[in-house]
Amino acid sequence: MAPRIIDPKLDGTGLGIAVVAARFNSYMADQMLEITLERLSALGVADENVIVVRTAGSFELPLTARRLAERGDVDAVICIGVVIRGDTDHYEHIARAAADGIARAGDDSGKPVIFGVLTTDNTDQAVTRIPQASDYADTAVEMAGTLRQIHDLR
Ligand code: RBF
C-alpha cells in the first residue's frame, strides 16, 4: 500500500479561528493583530468565523487561549503579545509563563495554539519583528487543516 501523505494546506475556508492579543505594548501588539486579521481573511477564513479577544498582558494569554480552544466552533487559537526586557526580572517570569502556558493550552485542548509573543531586549527589535505576525495566521490555518486531515485519515 502506498504511504498516506498529509499535505499541509493553506485554505481557511470553513475554519473557526480565535485571536487573543495582549494590550501591553499595544503600539506593536495592535499592528500584529491587524496583520493577523488581514492574513486570515486572505487565507479564506470568513470574518464571522473569527473571534478577537484582548487581554491586559501576555501573562493572561494562556488561560484565555485555553477557554477559546475549548469552544466547538474554534479550530485554532493565535496568541499575540510583546514582552520587552526591562530593568526587573518580570521579563523572565512573564515570557516564561506565556510560553509554557500557551504550549500547555495547546496540549490540554488538543487544538493548535499559536505562539505569537515577541520576547526582545528592546523596542527596536520588537518593531523589526512585527511583520512576522503574518506567519501566525498561516501556521494556525495550516495546523488546523493538518489536524483535520489526520482525523479524517482512513
Ligand atoms: N505584559 C506584556 O505583555 N509585556 C510586557 O513586557 C509586560 N511587562 C510587565 C512588567 C511588569 C513589571 C508587570 C508588573 C507586568 C508586565 N506585563 C507585561 C503585564 C502582565 O502580562 C500582566 O498583564 C500583569 O502582570 C497582570 O497579571
Side-chain angles (χ1 to χ4, degrees):
M1 188 178 120
R4 289 166 295 170
I5 295 168
I6 306 281
D7 257 342
K9 286 202 174 51
L10 274 183
D11 179 8
T13 314
L15 291 179
I17 307 286
V19 187
V20 47
R23 284 188 304 267
F24 211 94
N25 292 315
S26 64
Y27 162 71
M28 290 161 275
D30 289 357
Q31 291 180 62
M32 292 163 72
L33 173 60
E34 207 56 44
I35 290 168
T36 298
L37 294 177
E38 275 171 24
R39 185 67 187 146
L40 285 174
S41 176
L43 292 171
V45 180
D47 281 354
E48 64 264 32
N49 294 337
V50 177
I51 301 173
V52 178
V53 186
R54 301 305 298 254
T55 62
S58 294
F59 192 79
E60 284 72 37
L61 292 173
L63 176 59
T64 314
R66 192 196 164 116
R67 285 291 162 86
L68 287 162
E70 286 168 352
R71 290 183 57 90
D73 58 356
V74 170
D75 295 298
V77 183
I78 298 170
C79 295
I80 291 172
V82 180
V83 186
I84 295 176
R85 189 184 293 275
D87 296 331
T88 67
D89 62 357
H90 272 85
Y91 168 91
E92 305 289 347
H93 295 307
I94 293 170
R96 191 175 332 102
D100 292 352
I102 287 167
R104 197 168 338 112
D107 289 344
D108 290 353
S109 67
K111 293 193 185 157
V113 179
I114 308 306
F115 184 73
V117 180
L118 300 182
T119 54
T120 64
D121 287 335
N122 57 55
T123 306
D124 282 354
Q125 286 174 357
V127 168
T128 306
R129 295 185 194 161
I130 286 172
Q132 285 180 5
S134 78
D135 291 347
Y136 310 154
D138 286 33
T139 307
V141 167
E142 181 189 298
M143 279 297 291
T146 296
L147 296 191
R148 187 172 283 184
Q149 284 185 65
I150 292 172
H151 179 264
D152 294 344
L153 208 60
R154 350 179 291 127

